[in-house]
Amino acid sequence: IWSCYPEYSELEVQKFIKTIMENMLLLSCYHDKYEEITYIIPSLLRFDSERKKSKSKYTGPHFVLDFSSEFLNPKEARNLVCYLPFGLFERLVCLCITHSTVYNGSMIPEIEANYAKLSFGVCVKFEIEVFNNTIQVLTKEGTSSKQARFLVKTFSSIIGAIKKNWIGRKIAISLLVPSKKGGYGEYYDLVNRRHRKTQRNKEVLPNLNRRSIIASLSDYRFWL
C-alpha cells in the first residue's frame, strides 16, 4: 500500500492511518511465532455476493449468525436493520484474527472473499463463510462440546464488541446453534431459559428452514 502512495511514506503518517483503521475494525495485527507483525486487511478482498458453493471442508459442529430477524420477536425486530451490513463480515474476521494472537499455537489466518480460516490456539480450528444474510462458523470433525461452547461464547463477545463499537444496537443479529434433532435455537434465548430453573423444560420454537420444529433445552446440551 505504502509503495503506491509516496505521500504516505512518513512513519508518523503510516502510524496515524493504521491507528484509524484499527479503531474502525478494518485492520488487524497478526504476530507470528517469531513475533513478526503482519497487518491484515480483509476489506481489500472483493466481496462475492453471487457465491453459492461452500469452500469449507470442515464437518464438525457449526453455528450460524443470522441477520434476517426471523428468530427475533416481531416487536423487537420492528426497529432493527434486517440484513447483513456491508463490512460486518470483514470486521468480524479482523476481531477474530486479533483475538487469535492471544493463544499460543494459533494458525496463520487464511483470508479470501467471503471466507476465513483460523484458530484460537492449537485445538480450536474453525472457518467462517458468508451466504446471503447469514455467516456460518464451521469447526473440524471431532471438535468437543467444551471447545464448541468456548467458540460460541467467544463469538458472542465479538458480536457484542462490533455492535457496541461500530454499528450500535440497531441491527438484527441472531446467534443460532443446532439442535441434535434438527432445526436451530437462538443462543441467547436458550442461555436465558437455562438460567431460569422454572423454565428449564419449557419448549422453544427455533428453526433455520422455516419449519415448525419443537425441541427442549436438553436437545441443545452440546452448546450449553
Side-chain angles (χ1 to χ4, degrees), residues 41 102 124 182:
I41 310 174
V102 175
V124 185

Side-chain angles (χ1 to χ4, degrees), residues 166-222:
W166 180 55
I167 58 176
R169 301 182 180 277
K170 295 298 183 180
I171 188 165
I173 303 180
S174 298
L175 178 53
L176 308 176
V177 294
S179 162
K180 67 180 181 181
K181 292 183 179 179
Y184 288 77
E186 213 290 317
Y187 178 73
Y188 302 111
D189 177 59
L190 294 170
V191 170
N192 288 334
R193 289 171 183 267
R194 185 194 62 178
H195 288 314
R196 289 186 234 141
K197 292 183 179 181
T198 56
Q199 297 189 8
R200 177 175 291 275
N201 296 317
K202 285 197 173 184
E203 295 174 332
V204 292
L205 296 168
N207 74 90
L208 193 58
N209 302 313
R210 293 183 172 84
R211 296 176 300 173
S212 181
I213 299 175
I214 302 177
S216 67
L217 285 177
S218 62
D219 294 329
Y220 297 91
R221 188 172 297 149
F222 183 87

Side-chain angles (χ1 to χ4, degrees), residues 4 21 73 85 95 128 157 194:
C4 296
M21 294 187 70
N73 182 294
L95 286 175
I128 317 172
S157 298
R194 185 194 62 178

